[in-house]
Amino acid sequence: MLNTLLQAAPAAGQQQGSIWMTILPFVLIIVIFYFFMMRPQQKRQKELAKFRDNLKKGDHVVTTGGVYAKVHEIKDGKVELEVADGVYVKFDKSAILEKAEANAQ
């Protein structure tokens, strides 16, 4: 029964909505999704890339694994971090998550 109701033609005198009225809700959803989800994420990625490019020796950082360390050396996309006195570990630059407080170690 529902199938026959859905297939029924509109009564005489009624107009069907244009294709734009059908597509408009989907376009609005995509626009809202872009401004609330994609754009802020792109902004965070740009800020993180800028932070990683501006790293210098002596900065205190936190890695994606949660390791608190001090930058000892930077070269070729790799960062050598001092995790304890005299203990150095090499990380990829993309593993640096954020700046840490100097007294957090």
Side-chain angles (χ1 to χ4, degrees):
M1 175 150 164
L2 181 61
N3 195 18
T4 55
L5 290 175
L6 292 174
Q7 292 178 354
Q14 289 182 347
Q15 293 181 349
Q16 288 184 338
S18 71
I19 187 85
W20 294 109
M21 295 308 274
T22 306
I23 295 176
L24 185 64
F26 296 110
V27 171
L28 287 174
I29 289 171
I30 291 170
V31 168
I32 289 170
F33 179 77
Y34 174 78
F35 280 106
F36 285 108
M37 299 290 284
M38 295 172 63
R39 192 164 177 235
Q41 181 64 26
Q42 290 172 347
K43 184 178 176 184
R44 278 191 295 266
Q45 286 176 343
K46 285 180 184 178
E47 290 173 356
L48 187 57
K50 184 178 177 182
F51 163 71
R52 288 175 180 158
D53 289 338
N54 293 329
L55 278 176
K56 58 188 181 301
K57 186 174 180 176
D59 285 346
H60 292 269
V61 296
V62 179
T63 67
T64 55
V67 176
Y68 285 78
K70 184 169 70 171
V71 176
H72 179 260
E73 187 177 23
I74 302 170
K75 57 174 138 168
D76 300 331
K78 303 259 188 271
V79 179
E80 191 171 288
L81 301 177
E82 183 177 11
V83 294
D85 291 332
V87 179
Y88 302 102
V89 181
K90 285 187 182 180
F91 282 89
D92 192 64
K93 217 175 201 182
S94 63
I96 306 298
L97 183 61
E98 62 186 12
K99 197 168 208 166
E101 297 296 322
N103 57 2
Q105 288 184 319

